[in-house]
């Protein structure tokens, strides 16, 4: 298992590759799952209007491809503009079930210049799986990804003009 600084180096290396953004993000999901075996489902959601839309992920397919902001743990993290850690998903009325095996969840918003672009969502089959080390690592990953994702979105919008 790589240390947090090593995982961050991997994130930087994967983001520097010339593949499409979705492939780079999926590679980050797979790397996180490999390096942190308690991350059973790892994925990105992106803000589109009033909804979160599922992006690249690894793990079981989720029925929640679109989530209204404010709904679920995913929507709560955007509405509250902060990381949400749920040690027992079955005890949280906000929880939208993806897999019956999921016991705990962490959702980390990706914010750039005051705007939430999306989030990193991780589910674990282990109850209370996420420590402050996980939170610190994932918040640092979100901080590093934010400017890259913001730039990609700008380019996409400009190329549509
Ligand atoms: N559990 C999330 C929904 C997304 S799935 O976990 C992939 C939620 O409550 O918002």
């Amino acid at each position: 298992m790589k240390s947090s600084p090593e995982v961050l180096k991997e994130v930087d290396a994967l983001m520097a590759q010339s593949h499409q953004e979705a492939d780079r993000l999926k590679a980050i999901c797979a790397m996180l799952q490999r390096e942190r075996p308690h991350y059973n489902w790892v994925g990105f959601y992106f803000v589109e209007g009033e909804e979160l839309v599922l992006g690249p992920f690894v793990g079981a397919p989720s029925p929640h491809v679109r989530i209204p902001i404010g709904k679920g743990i995913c929507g709560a993290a955007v509405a509250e503009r902060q990381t949400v850690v749920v040690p027992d998903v079955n005890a949280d009325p906000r929880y939208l079930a993806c897999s019956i095996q999921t016991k705990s969840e962490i959702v980390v918003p990706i914010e750039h210049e005051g705007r939430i672009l999306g989030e990193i969502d991780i589910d674990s089959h282990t109850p209370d799986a996420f420590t402050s080390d996980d939170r610190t690592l994932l918040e640092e990953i979100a901080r590093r990804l934010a400017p890259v994702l913001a730039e990609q979105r700008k380019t996409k919008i400009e190329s549509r003009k």
Side-chain angles (χ1 to χ4, degrees):
M1 200 172 103
K2 288 193 165 85
S3 67
S4 291
E6 286 168 333
V7 170
L8 292 171
K9 247 192 225 162
E10 281 271 323
V11 168
D12 290 342
L14 291 170
M15 282 314 275
Q17 290 188 346
S18 58
H19 307 301
Q20 299 235 321
E21 181 189 287
D23 294 336
R24 290 184 285 163
L25 294 178
K26 184 145 182 172
I28 289 174
C29 295
M31 183 272 294
L32 286 173
Q33 199 181 50
R34 201 170 55 238
E35 295 303 331
R36 296 290 181 273
H38 59 298
Y39 294 5
N40 297 102
W41 190 96
V42 183
F44 289 91
Y45 279 91
F46 294 107
V47 174
E48 279 186 24
E50 296 305 306
E51 287 181 323
L52 283 158
V53 178
L54 181 60
F57 69 93
V58 293
S62 170
H64 304 293
V65 175
R66 288 179 174 267
I67 302 174
I69 289 171
K71 292 266 184 270
I73 313 295
C74 287
V78 177
E80 292 172 21
R81 311 181 71 85
Q82 60 180 356
T83 298
V84 177
V85 182
V86 179
D88 176 3
V89 291
N90 293 312
D92 194 316
R94 298 171 298 181
Y95 175 63
L96 300 171
C98 174
S99 155
I100 193 162
Q101 287 179 293
T102 298
K103 299 290 187 297
S104 55
E105 179 164 6
I106 184 169
V107 183
V108 179
I110 303 171
E111 185 172 340
H112 183 70
E113 294 177 346
R115 214 159 57 90
I116 311 262
L117 304 176
E119 59 191 26
I120 307 170
D121 178 18
I122 303 186
D123 291 349
S124 182
H125 298 171
T126 307
D128 199 6
F130 302 103
T131 64
S132 61
D133 282 353
D134 292 303
R135 183 184 181 136
T136 306
L137 172 64
L138 296 167
E139 287 180 348
E140 180 56 31
I141 293 173
R143 208 178 61 76
R144 286 173 191 225
L145 293 182
V148 184
L149 298 181
E151 188 56 38
Q152 287 281 335
R153 262 144 208 74
K154 221 173 86 194
T155 315
K156 253 193 232 164
I157 290 162
E158 274 163 11
S159 66
R160 274 195 227 126
K161 280 184 189 160

